[in-house]
Amino acid sequence: MLAAVLRGRDDLRLEERPRPVAGPGELVLRVHQCGVCGSDLRTFTRGPSARYAVPVVLGHEFVGTVIEVGAVGDAAAAIPTGARVTVAPAIPCGACEACRRGSDNLCAELLDFGINIDGGLAEYVRIPARSVAAGAVVVVADDLSDDAAILGEPIGTCLRGLRRGSVTARSIVVIIGDGPIGLTHAVVARELGARRVLCVGHNAARLAVIGRAGAETLVVDAGTDEAGAILAALGTRADTVVAAVPDPRALEAAVRVIRDGGSVVAFGGLAGDPTIQLDGNRLHYGEWTLVGSFNCTTAEFREAIDLAGRLDPRRFEATRFPIHRIADAFLAAAGRTVLKAVVTMEPPP
Ligand SMILES: [Zn+2]
Ligand SMILES: [Zn+2]
């Protein structure tokens, strides 16, 4: 099978590999398509962090058809050959303290597709028994398109982030970031009923797409006073600000934009020195809340698939690339000439 294998920084190769085989309780999927995530791009352009088990097949936003079910294991038997499924990217152990608390996104023994086990940017992917047992494999309803089915992780993570930022139907929400995750936050915030959603970034073309998805947008030049520009555009303060870029300055801008009692969500992993400077008195007297948000739980992933079915996937503006053009997909997404790259596999003959 063809697989997009990350071997190091700027080193992603399309390789011929043996098709995986399902062990006990495992599944093998024939992948239909797989989204390219910001984390895939970051790993490609900056090089894999210590968590990555390179060489590894990238990709965690995939949908496919079950072609093989490994014998034994009652949970695996519940998902038959021929089922169309999508799979939560994070595979919790189910046994550690975080998992037992229900915070399986914080599992101490987390396995992740495309990070420390082979992912879905390939013609076939093996789903570990642990993933099946965790309920992370979701059978996709017939009326849910493949385009919608790959949105489980981006929608689930944004749903978690917005909830951790206490977004309600009355909220004024600012999202710092004009990438696919900024767009997803905007769509999900609207779905939660947020009164106003303002998306802020540097890339006018991308913000135009986000504007079509239903958000107000603000283009700021790098190096300008971002918080001042946001306050001027809003005409008021925000209830919630989501910092969805890898820049610690976004968090510093965010705390200057929220109202007293408001929330700042640290959504993006930060590149370089992640130290931030905060005004402790504003934190105290303004009673604001600073929360992190990382991944999503298996339950949130399943909820996100339901939500995806109610959203028009065209709002997410995917640009499709066949797997033999994987390099173009990464260069286009990393070069920001497309918003969201989705890699499609050849259908079987
Ligand atoms: Zn992703
Ligand atoms: Zn765990």
Side-chain angles (χ1 to χ4, degrees):
M1 67 165 186
L2 285 175
V5 180
L6 183 84
R7 292 191 167 271
R9 184 176 175 173
D10 282 327
D11 188 356
L12 179 68
R13 301 182 205 173
L14 195 58
E15 297 183 1
E16 188 63 43
R17 285 197 160 192
R19 207 201 82 188
V21 175
E26 298 180 342
L27 308 174
V28 171
L29 312 188
R30 178 176 61 75
V31 179
H32 302 175
Q33 58 183 33
C34 181
V36 175
C37 187
S39 59
D40 299 318
L41 292 173
R42 194 170 56 235
T43 301
F44 170 67
T45 56
R46 298 217 169 97
S49 68
R51 286 192 65 216
Y52 279 74
V54 285
V56 68
V57 179
L58 287 183
H60 58 262
E61 300 174 2
F62 55 86
V63 60
T65 299
V66 177
I67 59 150
E68 193 187 343
V69 179
V72 309
D74 294 346
I79 297 170
T81 306
R84 194 163 60 99
V85 300
T86 184
V87 185
I91 308 170
C93 74
C96 73
E97 198 197 325
C99 282
R100 283 187 273 116
R101 275 203 310 269
S103 302
D104 61 12
N105 61 314
L106 302 178
C107 172
E109 304 286 336
L110 212 54
L111 293 174
D112 282 282
F113 287 103
I115 293 179
N116 45 24
I117 56 168
D118 284 339
L121 278 169
E123 290 179 298
Y124 297 87
V125 61
R126 185 178 62 87
I127 311 300
R130 183 165 132 178
S131 180
V132 180
V137 181
V138 182
V139 177
V140 177
D142 287 344
D143 59 357
L144 192 78
S145 66
D146 280 353
D147 286 346
I150 61 170
L151 296 172
E153 187 249 8
I155 290 178
T157 54
C158 293
L159 198 57
R160 180 176 184 82
L162 292 164
R163 283 187 179 145
R164 286 187 53 79
S166 304
V167 170
T168 69
R170 296 303 302 156
S171 294
I172 297 174
V173 182
V174 171
I175 296 148
I176 302 178
D178 56 20
I181 280 294
L183 167 67
T184 308
H185 269 111
V187 171
V188 176
R190 293 312 302 245
E191 195 60 22
L192 293 175
R195 180 155 53 116
R196 288 180 69 187
V197 178
L198 174 70
C199 217
V200 185
H202 302 320
N203 188 310
R206 289 179 155 215
L207 284 165
V209 172
I210 294 171
R212 286 199 291 280
E216 300 169 55
T217 58
L218 173 66
V219 184
V220 289
D221 292 328
T224 56
D225 171 17
E226 210 158 281
I230 293 168
L231 287 171
L234 272 186
T236 181
R237 288 184 173 273
D239 300 296
T240 303
V241 182
V242 180
V245 289
D247 186 343
R249 285 170 302 183
L251 278 170
E252 293 169 359
V255 301
R256 292 175 49 212
V257 169
I258 47 166
R259 64 162 168 79
D260 286 355
S263 298
V264 168
V265 183
F267 188 89
L270 303 177
D273 179 1
T275 308
I276 54 171
Q277 292 226 337
L278 294 177
D279 179 339
N281 270 336
R282 278 230 48 214
L283 176 62
H284 168 67
Y285 291 110
E287 277 200 334
W288 41 262
T289 303
L290 174 61
V291 290
S293 191
F294 172 65
N295 274 357
C296 63
T297 63
T298 306
E300 284 162 339
F301 177 82
R302 299 184 77 93
E303 190 182 353
I305 298 294
D306 286 340
L307 179 56
R310 301 201 297 273
L311 301 172
D312 181 354
R314 284 173 300 185
R315 288 165 83 182
F316 295 89
E317 296 249 357
T319 304
R320 308 165 81 79
F321 296 84
I323 190 165
H324 65 265
R325 290 186 57 214
I326 187 82
D328 292 339
F330 270 69
L331 292 173
R336 308 186 128 231
T337 58
V338 303
L339 192 72
K340 180 75 177 182
V342 171
V343 174
T344 58
M345 313 305 155
E346 297 291 339

